[in-house]
Amino acid sequence: MNDKLALPVGTTLDRFIMRKQEDFPYATGELSQLLRDIALAAKIVNREINRAGLLDVTGAYGNQNVQGEEQQKLDVIANIRFIRALRNGGEVCAIISEEEEDIIQTGNTKGKYIVAMDPLDGSSNIDVNVSIGTIFSVYRRTSETGCDGTLEDCLQNGTRQIAAGYIVYGSSTMLVYTTGHGVNGFTYEPSLGEFFLSHPNIVTPRTGKIYSCNEGSANSFPDGVKNYLNYCKEEGYSGRYIGSLVADFHRNLLKGGVYIYPATAKAPNGKLRLMYECNSLAFIVEQAGGKASTGTKRVMEIEPTELHQRCPLVIGSAEMVEKVEEFMKAEALVS
Ligand code: AHM
Ligand code: MG
């Protein structure tokens, strides 16, 4: 018999989540259920994305989201799928979504958790077959159960996350998540309809040779970032920018690198959203040994004041993020 056939099939996401639950002595299984609900929605969204060229789901929906950006049909579909899965699961009382201005109350007033999510990030890439992703963070509510989630429940800083993850819909579909005990990655096997553990205990390299930013906006980057980009070129680093945060982040997480979306003239506070883009990836990168900064301070320590707040983001290999901070600091001293 072929030796490979004698090997076990592998660890499914469900089994992994169950095993991890046993590591927490008082876990009641609610967070495990919540993670499984997210995985279920991810499978459904993955199916829709894979059919994107065949069905009439690409292109603009003729609507704009709360940030005034063009909403794609798949954004809307993904938003509906994730909300439905979380509502049906029963563990989540309120959701913040990039696609909706206000807090979404699920009606599960007994739910202990809050989810912040970008249901489909990088959506301008859908029509051209480029990787896109879902990003999420989970918080425990601070208010008593029995009523709707409150604004205070939703506006907790990133250090209070109890789980975060992303799904990258790419050459294969992967779900990567942390509950604060390291980072694990699962690859989707479509014929079996299961995610399998493929990247256990992800540790990001201390440094790398990839920098990722939209250099088209470089004229309006802070001088510290401009100087850092010159340094990257002198060092012979590679520039890699997909324009899909999850995909750029995922590559840099595995290979080592830094992703930078600083303040620009067009986006004076940066473009990316604190609650469901920056904080979620910050938790993951820190758990993998990397760093996430605004260029001057740790992202996860920002006290949020608005649901859709933006912040500059420098994220990736620890030494590269520190180097950007050094350049920013040097420039602040000069001016
Ligand atoms: P979105 O949430 O509207 O999809 O915007 C976020 C995306 C990120 O995925 C990506 O890194 C960034 O916007 C690209 O922005 P730009 O085109 O300004 O480089
Ligand atoms: Mg987004």
Side-chain angles (χ1 to χ4, degrees):
M1 191 170 71
N2 180 335
D3 281 354
K4 283 204 173 135
L5 287 178
L7 293 172
V9 179
T11 306
T12 64
L13 176 63
D14 267 13
R15 176 163 302 205
F16 185 85
I17 290 173
M18 247 162 58
R19 239 188 245 155
K20 286 287 156 190
Q21 189 187 312
E22 289 160 11
D23 293 350
F24 303 103
Y26 303 110
T28 54
E30 288 155 334
L31 179 62
S32 303
Q33 181 57 44
L34 195 168
L35 293 169
R36 284 198 292 264
D37 294 337
I38 289 179
L40 173 66
K43 288 179 194 176
I44 297 170
V45 169
N46 179 61
R47 187 189 61 188
E48 315 273 8
I49 289 171
N50 284 326
R51 294 194 302 199
L54 299 170
L55 301 177
D56 183 25
V57 287
T58 58
Y61 193 60
N63 228 332
Q64 291 199 331
N65 69 7
V66 283
Q67 277 91 27
E69 294 146 350
E70 200 174 65
Q71 227 174 357
Q72 306 287 318
K73 279 186 182 178
L74 266 172
D75 293 14
V76 178
I77 293 170
N79 191 41
I80 294 168
R81 297 293 187 214
F82 278 96
I83 292 172
R84 194 175 290 165
L86 293 171
R87 186 174 276 149
N88 289 345
E91 320 301 343
V92 173
C93 61
I95 302 168
I96 314 171
S97 164
E98 179 178 320
E99 300 301 331
E100 307 212 13
E101 185 153 9
D102 296 321
I103 300 172
I104 303 154
Q105 300 293 349
T106 60
N108 301 318
T109 53
K110 290 201 178 114
K112 289 187 193 148
Y113 297 102
I114 306 284
V115 167
M117 65 170 181
D118 183 351
L120 208 54
D121 182 69
S123 44
S124 60
N125 281 324
I126 296 169
D127 289 1
V128 289
N129 252 341
V130 172
S131 299
I132 45 185
T134 297
I135 314 174
F136 65 90
S137 289
V138 182
Y139 294 84
R140 210 182 301 273
R141 72 188 295 175
T142 53
S143 62
E144 293 294 316
T145 54
C147 49
D148 280 349
T150 64
L151 185 62
E152 291 70 46
D153 289 333
C154 295
L155 293 181
Q156 300 187 54
N157 78 29
T159 64
R160 307 192 58 165
Q161 291 172 96
I162 56 165
Y166 62 83
I167 298 117
V168 57
Y169 310 95
S171 48
S172 62
T173 293
M174 271 192 76
L175 187 153
V176 175
Y177 83 97
T178 182
T179 52
H181 299 268
V183 181
N184 291 284
F186 300 80
T187 301
Y188 187 56
E189 161 55 89
S191 67
L192 296 172
E194 293 274 15
F195 283 99
F196 286 93
L197 179 63
S198 53
H199 297 63
N201 290 321
I202 297 173
V203 176
T204 196
R206 291 279 314 157
T207 190
K209 291 192 179 305
I210 296 174
Y211 68 97
S212 312
C213 68
N214 185 345
E215 276 201 270
S217 309
N219 281 349
S220 71
F221 283 176
D223 287 340
V225 176
K226 283 185 196 162
N227 294 342
Y228 177 74
L229 295 181
N230 287 335
Y231 164 85
C232 290
K233 288 166 197 164
E234 280 159 18
E235 293 291 311
Y237 290 0
S238 293
R240 294 281 182 274
Y241 190 67
I242 297 169
S244 250
L245 173 62
V246 173
D248 279 310
F249 175 83
H250 181 67
R251 180 203 51 238
N252 292 357
L253 182 74
L254 298 184
K255 294 194 166 186
V258 65
Y259 174 99
I260 308 173
Y261 208 115
T264 65
K266 229 167 87 186
N269 295 319
K271 175 184 181 192
L272 301 171
R273 267 62 56 136
L274 175 64
M275 296 308 295
Y276 40 78
E277 291 176 326
C278 303
N279 267 339
S280 328
L281 299 184
F283 190 23
I284 294 167
V285 88
E286 287 195 6
Q287 284 294 316
K291 283 196 162 181
S293 161
T294 61
T296 53
K297 66 182 281 197
R298 185 179 172 215
V299 166
M300 291 212 289
E301 287 174 7
I302 298 173
E303 286 306 329
T305 53
E306 286 168 40
L307 296 178
H308 299 288
Q309 184 169 336
R310 298 172 193 265
C311 84
L313 182 65
V314 180
I315 191 165
S317 294
E319 286 175 17
M320 298 179 86
V321 173
E322 283 161 11
K323 197 80 184 169
V324 178
E325 286 179 328
E326 264 172 47
F327 275 95
M328 295 284 285
K329 203 164 172 188
E331 204 46 51
L333 291 176
V334 172
S335 53

